[in-house]
Amino acid sequence: MALSGLHRIAGQARAAAATTFHGVDAATQAPLEPGYPEATPEEIHAAVREATCAFEVLAASSGETRAALLEAIAREIEVLGDALLARAHAETGLPLARLTGERGRTCAQLRLFAQVAREGSWVDARIDPALPQRQPLPRPDLRRMLQPIGPVAVFGASNFPLAFSVAGGDTASALATGNPVVVKAHPAHPGTSELVADAVVRAVASVGLPAGTFALLHGREPRTGLALVRHPDICAVGFTGSHGAGRALFDAAAARPRPIPVFAEMSSLNPVFVLDGALGARSQAIAEGLKQSFTLGVGQFCTKPGLVIGVASPAWDAFAARLGELARAVPAGVMLHAGIARAFAEATADLRDVEWLSKGPAAVARVSAARFLDDPALHREIFGPFTLLVTVPDAAGLERFARALDGQLTATVHGDPGDLGGPATAGLFHVLAQRAGRIVLNGFPTGVEVAPAMQHGGPYPSTTDSRFTSVGTAALARFVRPVSYQDFPDGLRPAALQDANPLGLMRLVNGAPTRAAVGAA
């Protein structure tokens, strides 16, 4: 499993540019061999051109073929064994146990999406047969389904080198729905990306799909990613990362002569509201759970609770003191790369007029609600083991505070039966439903289940489009578009829309869900 330090284009390892950067050992900061090249404009064009050619074949492929591809990718990743985990550990500093779990999640996700591709009802077929005798006007025969959108650019995430990277959820979503993928590897883990890319290349070949179905490009400079997004044949973008990078890609895509959608997950404070009853009944347990949640993975989860809100009281003061005490006992951890560690140190050092309850290794500070609302700097996500406690003057202040928040991936409420069910709490839940994509009750937001009902996406700035999710089977909806066929004879209709329903799909016929053939009794 020797690494080549090269791109993967049309199934081949290649590079035109001289080596420009290395992966770095997260613990020692020593460079890791081999070096990796910056993708040239010609290489970006070649990868997208091959993806465009492959699209015709992949879009027309069966659900069984796409399922076989995803399952083959999962198997090939597992075959990589400890070598993959060792390289990912070196490049990210993430513990081997965490990476083992992430590999399992990645492979399970691929297999789940394979099931969805094989079953096929994701096409959301809708059939309204013709009504030629309808008055005052006849109704035409209308049949609608979702179809793949075209080559998708996927950007690897720094904090999930497997589950949100080369063969992660974005790639699985795109391939399951018939879209080729061009991955821009994250420069912090290029070796991990190369290993997984080779697994995907082998899987593509094993099922007989065109080599252009998948490509991997390396690059550390922002211009490389921007050039990929600006390529006229890229049809959509999947991204997980910082607000600045995500917004830059979004703006570049919007400025194209033919704008395309960018599904970017960017930043979130993930506020946690602690109600008085819960605080009185289980303050210690909430503090311990919160400490575990905001320090998990050295605080480098997109769902890390970075904001905790409570009502001024002696119990709230005691809770804050206890959380600070717990944070001071947290051992120092290795952050993903030097840039993130530096940004974390600078962001916490720049905080002004806050009460520090712990300055490290896990940091906890406290401010009043008035102070928070007055300082936009406090509204920015600090990526790392930090959380900010905010004190509101009274219970009514909880809802007022929630209304002042930007869009979030998650919002959490801790409450006991005495707290819940009243008009004040109902108002708070209503506001949070407008601000967040997932609302957690009496839990913590870290840990995102890969399931059909999961929503991992919220209003801006947490994502660029709150109507979609990047986790769970609903993530497939990002890389498809609807097409209606009007008055087509049955033989010219896609199989999903034919009268006999040869694929056995669940379809909406005359507004009613059914697997029966059109016209069947």
Side-chain angles (χ1 to χ4, degrees):
M1 296 184 184
L3 296 171
S4 68
L6 301 175
H7 312 299
R8 296 296 186 273
I9 300 173
Q12 301 299 312
R14 56 183 282 188
T19 295
T20 57
F21 73 95
H22 287 73
V24 174
D25 188 295
T28 67
Q29 295 303 296
L32 296 168
E33 295 295 338
Y36 285 85
E38 198 80 29
T40 65
E42 293 76 18
E43 287 165 337
I44 293 170
H45 177 68
V48 179
R49 181 189 64 231
E50 293 290 339
T52 303
C53 293
F55 176 55
E56 300 300 324
V57 176
L58 190 59
S61 67
S62 67
E64 178 58 42
T65 296
R66 297 174 198 168
L69 172 61
L70 295 171
E71 290 167 345
I73 294 172
R75 289 194 300 271
E76 291 288 350
I77 290 173
E78 290 167 343
V79 167
L80 292 172
D82 292 343
L84 174 63
L85 301 181
R87 182 70 185 203
H89 170 65
E91 289 183 324
T92 66
L94 294 172
L96 289 172
R98 148 73 194 273
L99 290 166
T100 301
E102 188 178 332
R103 180 181 59 185
R105 168 182 169 164
T106 303
C107 294
Q109 184 170 252
L110 287 161
R111 291 183 170 112
L112 173 63
F113 281 30
Q115 293 174 17
V116 175
R118 181 174 283 117
E119 192 279 330
S121 294
W122 64 267
V123 300
D124 189 28
R126 296 165 181 251
I127 298 175
D128 295 313
L131 296 175
Q133 307 304 319
R134 190 184 68 175
Q135 295 296 327
L137 293 173
R139 183 177 79 183
D141 185 287
L142 287 169
R143 306 193 179 210
R144 177 187 188 270
M145 65 180 290
L146 299 176
Q147 297 190 355
I149 197 170
V152 174
V154 170
F155 286 76
S158 65
N159 59 338
F160 281 90
L162 302 176
F164 278 85
S165 290
V166 174
D170 291 347
T171 296
S173 299
L175 294 176
T177 49
N179 302 283
V181 173
V182 179
V183 174
K184 164 63 174 61
H186 196 284
H189 44 77
T192 304
S193 298
E194 182 183 340
L195 288 170
V196 177
D198 279 342
V200 180
V201 169
R202 289 191 293 271
V204 169
S206 73
V207 298
L209 285 168
T213 295
F214 171 83
L216 176 77
L217 299 173
H218 294 284
R220 186 172 56 182
E221 300 298 325
R223 66 175 182 270
T224 303
L226 290 170
L228 178 59
V229 169
R230 288 170 177 149
H231 193 286
D233 290 331
I234 288 294
C235 296
V237 178
F239 171 86
T240 298
S242 70
H243 179 267
R247 184 57 196 252
L249 298 179
F250 178 84
D251 290 345
R256 289 173 33 148
R258 180 172 61 88
I260 58 172
V262 174
F263 301 101
E265 179 207 312
M266 299 179 293
S267 64
S268 182
L269 296 175
N270 304 301
V272 176
F273 292 79
V274 184
L275 307 185
D276 284 348
L279 195 63
R282 45 194 173 89
S283 175
Q284 175 69 24
I286 295 172
E288 179 63 35
L290 183 63
K291 183 265 295 185
Q292 295 287 352
S293 186
F294 91 85
T295 62
L296 183 67
V298 201
Q300 297 166 118
F301 279 69
C302 53
T303 50
K304 178 205 75 174
L307 198 62
V308 187
I309 305 96
V311 178
S313 70
W316 174 247
D317 291 339
F319 171 82
R322 179 56 179 158
L323 182 62
E325 179 184 349
L326 291 170
R328 290 192 296 274
V330 172
V334 177
M335 302 196 80
L336 291 163
H337 58 77
I340 286 178
R342 182 169 56 253
F344 176 74
E346 291 172 353
T348 51
D350 286 345
L351 293 179
R352 297 289 181 266
D353 300 323
V354 300
E355 175 191 357
W356 285 102
L357 303 172
S358 170
K359 278 203 167 183
V364 180
R366 182 164 70 159
V367 296
S368 68
R371 171 79 184 96
F372 179 89
L373 297 174
D374 188 53
D375 186 355
L378 296 176
H379 298 226
R380 291 196 290 267
E381 178 189 28
I382 295 180
F383 196 65
F386 168 80
T387 196
L388 180 65
L389 275 60
V390 177
T391 305
V392 299
D394 51 40
L398 295 170
E399 181 180 333
R400 290 196 300 269
F401 186 84
R403 291 184 181 279
L405 292 174
D406 288 329
Q408 308 290 332
L409 290 172
T410 74
T412 298
V413 175
H414 280 271
D416 274 11
D419 295 316
L420 305 174
T425 307
L428 176 61
F429 285 135
H430 174 76
V431 173
L432 294 180
Q434 308 307 310
R435 298 294 187 278
R438 176 165 58 108
I439 305 172
V440 179
L441 183 62
N442 291 331
F444 296 95
T446 40
V448 182
E449 184 71 24
V450 181
M454 176 52 65
Q455 173 61 25
H456 190 60
Y460 187 86
S462 63
T463 64
T464 48
D465 196 328
S466 64
R467 297 170 298 171
F468 297 92
T469 178
S470 61
V471 177
T473 56
L476 275 64
R478 295 173 297 168
F479 304 130
V480 295
R481 63 183 184 87
V483 177
S484 282
Y485 295 81
Q486 182 170 327
D487 289 334
F488 271 57
D490 205 50
L492 293 181
R493 295 169 183 148
L497 300 179
Q498 292 173 4
D499 283 347
N501 193 14
L503 302 181
L505 307 181
M506 180 63 70
R507 309 187 296 185
L508 204 65
V509 179
N510 282 321
T514 179
R515 293 186 188 272
V518 174

